Amino acid sequence: MKTRDLSRLTGARFERNTLHFGRVDPEARTVPASLSSETPVSRWFGNEILVHDAGAVNLTRAADGLPMLWDHDGGQPIGLVENVRLVDGKLRGDLRFSNNPKAKEVFQDVLDGFLKNISIGYSVDRWEETANSEDVRVTGWTLLEASVVSVPSDATVGMYRSFPGENPMTEERNPAGNVGEIPAGPVIELAKITRAHSIAKQAGAAEAIQAERKRITDLDSVFSLGAVRGLAADLVASLRAQAIDGGWSPDQARATLLEALSGESAPLIDYGAVQDRPAATRALPAAPANAPRPLATPRVTEDSLDKFFRGAEEGILVRACIITDKETVRSAREGGMYGKRLSTLAGDFLRLQGVDTARMSDDQIATRAIATRSGAHGQTTADFTYLLANVANKALLMGFDEAPETWATWTRRGQLPDFKTADRINMSGFTGLSEVAEDGEITYGKFTDRKETIKLVQYAKKYRMSRQLLINDDLGGLTQVPRLMGRAANRKIGDVVYALLDSTGPTLTQDSTALWNTATHKNYVAAATAPTVSTLNTAITAMAKQTDPNTSAVLNIRPRYLVVPVALEATARVLMGAVYDPAGSAGTLTPNPFSGRFEVVTDARLDGQTNGATAWYLFADPNLFDTFEVAFLNGVAEPYLRENQPWDGQGVEYVTGIDFGVSALDFRAVHKYRGS
């Protein structure tokens, strides 16, 4: 079994696509569906087996209905997946489509048989390896969302699971052509499919070889240009090797060369995609001018330096309690890296580089390890400082994930490609459907120019790793400080989000009126009262009666979240848990119609705002209605750690930060009681 680095598996997000719709109920707009199973799937880390039992699957997000999206786009909600449950080792649920325009369009395609795929998105919480096997069992995972997606290119198999760069796999069917109790269409003859795939593979082999040869030839031309323009020969050789091994296109290689020529630093890690740590490459001696050009460059895929980095990182993370599972701890102990001081690891690194450290002090070893670089332009994966930065980055992300923040519960997540101001068109701004007379003309619907704006802002701080950190074996400075910075990044998002709720809120672009407004928006009550059955009924009624600006049609919006300051948490939870109206008296108790109706969210920031500990709010589901959006640069909702300046021999400076923007999208699906 090949050696694998699974340290980045925890928290990774995946998708699984299925082809299993059951009978469609046009009246109820529901469709039963099979969502996933334990069929092994080939991933970058091995064969993933998603365990389907009550102890493995976290269905917390599906308790009140799982958000259903179009093609995993958080900006296009189309309904809910209800009654999500485990049946005979498979995850099943009932799709219920909403009445928004996109949902109607998708449901009609489902009804007509053109769309048949439902895909789930999930994150990995726990996993375990199987001895002497490529199998990795995911023993803990969280269901995040479900999406209706377009028909895959190979519509003959019964189960599709996708991840960037991977091929779909099939799921076994019973002789009747069904999966479980849900009909799945005609019987598929797998033998014929296999033969067809073999024929296609043979027919395309020659063409694929020719295409690969042309790609390598084009890459040679690109890197020859790079050498002519004055880049160091070892850098060009290293980049060329990575380009061939990584499947880069000539355009990608050209862009990388231009960045190297500019001398600018690049991010240590591409946070936008899950990736394997590339093996350290070694520059090859230049070939004679008259030597034939090879089709590929020989490379060392794993050497002693790679093994050292992998083991050292594992040992540091175990020592710092970032990784605590027994299997990894055992691996670190057996690998001899557990318990080693940072200065000792620095010495090991230098000796692997051929440096004699016998007469060097800890200070000299630390300085030399920090100053040693394998590339001419910034830090590379073959540098000791990359190891330290990678450990710090894992601590940073852990701190971000473990921060006790509540903003993500009731806001929508979005993405922006740059720092320019962007528009957000409101969902309710599309003209309604018109009656069409016999042989009459169907007119075009259109969006009104009713929108809000959102803009990314960079929030960052500097962070420095020094040679003293190595000498003093300062694991706190290496892991605890970045961990706290990760928490601070998440906390900053919460600060910005909750600030929008204070006082009368931001002024909306659509009507130049403050968000919380009694006369125009009818979503604000300046009454000195806490949440009660009576006040909840008033707020729910006002929200349901909000109208579409084009047609004046009632939107019938229903709230999902009751957001209160900590001072009102007990009041809100008693109200949600009471069978009878808590305001009633003995002998005259009436049922509580809102018992268990809303999810209670509390945050201490509300206690310190203008209205003190008295203001409270109702919000609709952000995936179904426009409420508040938190957008991230390219959708990367986590902080980054980037090199800020060249190494100076004494340490290195990093920038830790996060890029996000927050906006109130509309007033119709939000409601506030001032409370004082």
Side-chain angles (χ1 to χ4, degrees), residues 560-583:
R560 178 176 178 180
Y561 301 103
L562 174 57
V563 181
V564 300
V566 175
L568 290 179
E569 180 174 5
T571 301
R573 295 197 183 281
V574 167
L575 183 59
M576 288 299 99
V579 176
Y580 296 97
D581 184 353

Side-chain angles (χ1 to χ4, degrees), residues 594-666:
F594 306 122
S595 177
R597 176 78 173 274
F598 309 119
E599 181 177 343
V600 176
V601 179
T602 65
D603 198 286
R605 294 179 181 88
L606 297 176
D607 294 76
Q609 292 188 349
T610 302
N611 302 125
T614 58
W616 54 276
Y617 309 81
L618 282 178
F619 298 134
D621 189 329
N623 293 314
L624 299 179
F625 301 97
D626 290 321
T627 57
F628 291 83
E629 178 180 338
V630 181
F632 298 90
L633 180 61
N634 294 321
V636 182
E638 58 187 28
Y640 56 78
L641 180 71
R642 295 195 180 115
E643 183 181 355
N644 187 51
Q645 63 183 24
W647 298 94
D648 58 10
Q650 299 298 313
V652 67
E653 191 172 86
Y654 289 95
V655 170
T656 299
I658 189 168
D659 305 322
F660 70 92
V662 182
S663 177
L665 301 178
D666 197 10

Side-chain angles (χ1 to χ4, degrees), residues 399-665:
F400 183 81
D401 291 337
E402 68 188 5
E405 291 298 322
T406 60
W407 60 265
T409 303
W410 53 272
T411 60
R412 178 190 305 169
R413 180 174 296 183
Q415 73 87 26
L416 290 170
D418 51 44
F419 286 82
K420 299 176 183 176
T421 300
D423 293 333
R424 289 294 190 257
I425 304 298
N426 297 103
M427 289 182 181
S428 61
F430 187 74
T431 53
L433 301 183
S434 302
E435 181 179 349
V436 180
E438 183 177 356
D439 295 328
E441 179 183 0
I442 301 177
T443 59
Y444 287 98
K446 62 180 180 180
F447 282 98
T448 59
D449 188 19
R450 190 174 61 81
K451 59 193 177 185
E452 299 302 325
T453 60
I454 188 169
K455 187 178 186 298
L456 288 177
V457 177
Q458 179 186 22
Y459 300 89
K461 284 286 187 181
K462 292 180 180 180
Y463 169 64
R464 183 176 177 85
M465 292 185 191
S466 65
R467 63 186 179 86
Q468 286 87 351
L469 182 145
L470 299 183
I471 297 171
N472 297 334
D473 194 38
D474 185 6
L475 288 184
L478 182 60
T479 61
Q480 190 60 22
V481 172
R483 191 170 180 177
L484 294 174
M485 296 175 84
R487 293 184 182 180
N490 207 338
R491 186 169 61 249
K492 185 62 180 180
I493 300 174
D495 291 343
V496 176
V497 169
Y498 279 99
L500 293 183
L501 305 185
D502 199 9
S503 189
T504 57
T507 299
L508 300 185
T509 303
Q510 60 184 276
D511 56 9
S512 300
T513 303
L515 172 64
W516 309 117
N517 180 272
T518 302
T520 304
H521 293 169
K522 300 179 181 179
N523 67 348
Y524 182 51
V525 178
T529 178
T532 64
V533 169
S534 177
T535 54
L536 280 178
N537 186 63
T538 300
I540 292 170
T541 302
M543 187 179 290
K545 289 183 177 181
Q546 293 283 6
T547 59
D548 188 284
N550 296 314
T551 63
S552 298
V554 174
L555 294 174
N556 198 28
I557 301 171
R558 299 289 178 169
R560 178 176 178 180
Y561 301 103
L562 174 57
V563 181
V564 300
V566 175
L568 290 179
E569 180 174 5
T571 301
R573 295 197 183 281
V574 167
L575 183 59
M576 288 299 99
V579 176
Y580 296 97
D581 184 353
S585 56
T588 61
L589 293 177
T590 58
N592 177 9
F594 306 122
S595 177
R597 176 78 173 274
F598 309 119
E599 181 177 343
V600 176
V601 179
T602 65
D603 198 286
R605 294 179 181 88
L606 297 176
D607 294 76
Q609 292 188 349
T610 302
N611 302 125
T614 58
W616 54 276
Y617 309 81
L618 282 178
F619 298 134
D621 189 329
N623 293 314
L624 299 179
F625 301 97
D626 290 321
T627 57
F628 291 83
E629 178 180 338
V630 181
F632 298 90
L633 180 61
N634 294 321
V636 182
E638 58 187 28
Y640 56 78
L641 180 71
R642 295 195 180 115
E643 183 181 355
N644 187 51
Q645 63 183 24
W647 298 94
D648 58 10
Q650 299 298 313
V652 67
E653 191 172 86
Y654 289 95
V655 170
T656 299
I658 189 168
D659 305 322
F660 70 92
V662 182
S663 177
L665 301 178

Side-chain angles (χ1 to χ4, degrees), residues 18-137:
T18 70
L19 194 66
H20 307 325
F21 278 164
R23 297 180 180 275
V24 180
D25 186 338
E27 297 299 325
R29 302 175 66 80
T30 59
V31 186
S34 175
L35 305 178
S36 62
S37 72
E38 294 191 356
T39 300
V41 175
S42 179
R43 302 288 193 197
W44 56 267
F45 51 80
N47 299 322
E48 179 203 62
I49 299 174
L50 200 60
V51 176
H52 280 61
D53 59 37
V57 188
N58 183 352
L59 298 177
T60 302
R61 293 173 180 255
D64 296 323
L66 189 70
M68 182 168 61
L69 313 175
W70 165 247
D71 206 19
H72 299 289
D73 185 350
Q76 295 196 72
I78 57 175
L80 296 172
V81 183
E82 300 175 322
N83 191 25
V84 179
R85 75 275 186 198
L86 287 167
V87 179
D88 298 329
K90 293 183 177 65
L91 193 65
R92 307 195 186 282
D94 300 323
L95 316 183
R96 181 162 64 86
F97 290 81
S98 70
N99 285 306
N100 66 57
K102 185 62 180 179
K104 291 179 179 179
E105 173 189 333
V106 174
F107 182 70
Q108 187 60 50
D109 284 342
V110 171
L111 197 61
D112 294 340
F114 295 115
L115 287 176
K116 300 180 180 180
N117 277 55
I118 183 74
S119 169
I120 64 167
Y122 60 97
S123 64
V124 175
D125 301 326
R126 300 187 309 277
W127 51 269
E128 61 183 27
E129 293 187 78
T130 303
N132 302 318
S133 171
E134 291 296 309
D135 292 345
V136 175
R137 288 170 54 83

Side-chain angles (χ1 to χ4, degrees), residues 194-442:
T194 303
R195 287 197 298 273
H197 286 179
S198 298
I199 293 171
K201 182 177 180 180
Q202 294 171 6
E207 181 180 351
I209 291 172
Q210 291 297 325
E212 178 64 5
R213 285 177 176 171
K214 183 179 184 305
R215 184 181 72 87
I216 294 174
T217 299
D218 292 341
L219 286 174
D220 283 338
S221 299
V222 172
F223 286 105
S224 295
L225 175 63
V228 170
R229 296 183 63 177
L231 283 179
D234 60 343
L235 175 63
V236 174
S238 177
L239 289 175
R240 178 184 179 277
Q242 293 182 51
I244 294 174
D245 188 49
W248 296 3
S249 69
D251 288 340
Q252 289 174 307
R254 193 172 292 109
T256 302
L257 276 177
L258 289 174
E259 184 177 0
L261 286 165
S262 72
E264 295 179 355
S265 298
L268 299 175
I269 300 172
D270 177 10
Y271 301 106
V274 177
Q275 60 179 14
D276 285 320
R277 177 184 177 274
T281 55
R282 298 290 176 267
L284 299 176
N290 59 351
R293 184 168 55 195
L295 290 178
T297 302
R299 291 173 306 280
V300 179
T301 58
E302 184 176 31
D303 59 11
S304 57
L305 191 59
D306 294 311
K307 293 178 182 178
F308 166 77
F309 279 134
R310 186 175 61 252
E313 180 179 315
E314 188 177 76
I316 295 172
L317 291 172
V318 169
R319 279 188 66 205
C321 297
I322 301 298
I323 296 179
T324 57
D325 66 278
K326 294 181 179 179
E327 186 65 24
T328 305
V329 173
R330 181 188 62 78
S331 174
R333 290 181 183 277
E334 292 179 355
M337 292 293 186
Y338 180 78
K340 281 194 173 184
R341 292 173 58 87
L342 296 177
S343 57
T344 303
L345 293 174
D348 292 343
F349 165 76
L350 290 177
R351 286 186 286 274
L352 285 172
Q353 297 283 359
V355 178
D356 184 4
T357 62
R359 298 182 180 181
M360 296 174 63
S361 66
D362 285 349
D363 187 6
Q364 291 171 322
I365 289 175
T367 302
R368 183 72 175 270
I370 287 177
T372 299
R373 287 186 292 163
S374 60
H377 297 276
Q379 180 175 279
T380 73
T381 59
D383 297 333
F384 186 74
T385 47
Y386 177 86
L387 166 67
L388 301 181
N390 207 30
V391 171
N393 183 67
K394 285 181 170 60
L396 176 77
L397 298 181
M398 171 177 278
F400 183 81
D401 291 337
E402 68 188 5
E405 291 298 322
T406 60
W407 60 265
T409 303
W410 53 272
T411 60
R412 178 190 305 169
R413 180 174 296 183
Q415 73 87 26
L416 290 170
D418 51 44
F419 286 82
K420 299 176 183 176
T421 300
D423 293 333
R424 289 294 190 257
I425 304 298
N426 297 103
M427 289 182 181
S428 61
F430 187 74
T431 53
L433 301 183
S434 302
E435 181 179 349
V436 180
E438 183 177 356
D439 295 328
E441 179 183 0
I442 301 177

